Amino acid sequence: ELRFGSAKELSSSLDEANKPDDPFFNKLVRIMATRCMNEALYFCTGNVHVNSYKHYGLAMSHYTHFTSPIRRYADVMVHRFLSAALEINKLPESLQDRTMVTDQVDRLNFKHRMAQWADRASIALHQFLYFKMRGHVDAEGVVMRVNQGGLQVAVEEYGVEGDVAMSSMDWLIFQDKQSAVGRPQSDFEGMTIGIFDRVVVRVEANMEDKK
């Protein structure tokens, strides 16, 4: 049972969500829990109420980051604010203008989001090229979600996720219960598939998808 009254409760319950014989289970639960969270964003403190400063995932009331200035411009900005606060250097005029700071953090959020999408697209492309060259493989996966048209399955061996279509002629889909039940008189009669069940799926490059 996941408890999410606070970040500490969530963290503790995620630590407890273990299956000794299945290390992938805990990793998958953490992935699914993280995807439900709002993405952390940069913001100008002058535009946001102090109650919104907190970082839920890290259980901190105030949070920023500053690593190597060569990594992200957000780090450079924080370095300059800290330097001015410590009276080491004067704060640049551009960082004294709330409008300019707001525009800058909006741009940072946009660029960060685009970088994430580019990363995911690159992974998807190389996975496609790999299976296009190798051909289809049958592998064991874990059900992450039951959708109207079938299952969403994660295959740890190849680091891929995908949708498995299930014919309405053979299966009854219950999204509210997150389960699929084989229809009477079908080849799957008596079978029930739900979240975290293990299934064998065929993984292959989708040559019909033009995206």
Side-chain angles (χ1 to χ4, degrees):
E1 180 182 355
L2 287 180
R3 303 180 302 277
F4 48 87
S6 67
K8 185 176 181 180
E9 280 188 359
L10 177 60
S11 178
S12 298
S13 59
L14 286 174
D15 289 339
E16 295 166 3
N18 276 307
K19 288 185 177 180
D21 59 338
D22 186 4
F24 184 53
F25 174 78
N26 182 263
K27 180 179 180 180
L28 194 57
V29 170
R30 290 179 181 276
I31 290 173
M32 295 169 68
T34 301
R35 288 180 181 176
C36 295
M37 298 180 184
N38 290 328
E39 183 180 358
L41 298 173
Y42 298 114
F43 61 89
C44 175
T45 56
N47 296 336
V48 178
H49 192 277
V50 67
N51 291 340
S52 299
Y53 288 6
K54 60 186 178 182
H55 193 298
Y56 180 84
L58 298 178
M60 300 183 71
S61 60
H62 291 70
Y63 170 79
T64 189
H65 63 77
F66 53 97
T67 52
S68 169
I70 65 172
R71 290 186 60 204
R72 292 170 289 194
Y73 187 68
D75 299 318
V76 176
M77 293 179 68
V78 173
H79 277 240
R80 290 173 178 171
F81 279 119
L82 284 174
S83 182
L86 295 173
E87 298 182 349
I88 297 174
N89 292 301
K90 184 179 179 181
L91 187 66
E93 289 187 10
S94 60
L95 295 183
Q96 297 179 36
D97 187 317
R98 181 186 299 184
T99 300
M100 294 186 68
V101 173
T102 299
D103 289 344
Q104 185 61 58
V105 296
D106 287 344
R107 190 174 299 110
L108 288 170
N109 289 325
F110 174 77
K111 292 292 187 180
H112 178 66
R113 188 161 55 251
M114 293 302 101
Q116 287 182 318
W117 290 357
D119 179 63
R120 294 167 188 166
S122 175
I123 292 173
L125 172 62
H126 285 84
Q127 288 173 337
F128 168 79
L129 294 174
Y130 172 79
F131 286 106
K132 180 182 178 182
M133 177 182 66
R134 174 169 179 167
H136 71 261
V137 298
D138 293 330
E140 186 178 67
V142 181
V143 177
M144 298 179 67
R145 183 186 296 274
V146 179
N147 298 317
Q148 185 175 359
L151 309 174
Q152 183 179 349
V153 177
V155 179
E156 181 184 21
E157 182 178 358
Y158 296 101
V160 298
E161 297 176 19
D163 295 322
V164 179
M166 303 178 78
S167 171
S168 60
M169 299 292 290
D170 295 322
W171 295 92
L172 291 168
I173 304 294
F174 300 98
Q175 284 187 271
D176 56 334
K177 297 180 179 179
Q178 284 293 285
S179 64
V181 179
R183 284 185 179 274
Q185 300 183 356
S186 74
D187 293 339
F188 307 100
E189 181 177 1
M191 293 181 60
T192 300
I193 301 175
I195 297 292
F196 299 125
D197 283 346
R198 287 188 170 267
V199 294
V200 176
V201 296
R202 173 160 292 184
V203 184
E204 60 186 350
N206 185 355
M207 305 301 294
E208 298 179 0
D209 188 349
K210 304 300 182 182
K211 291 187 293 184

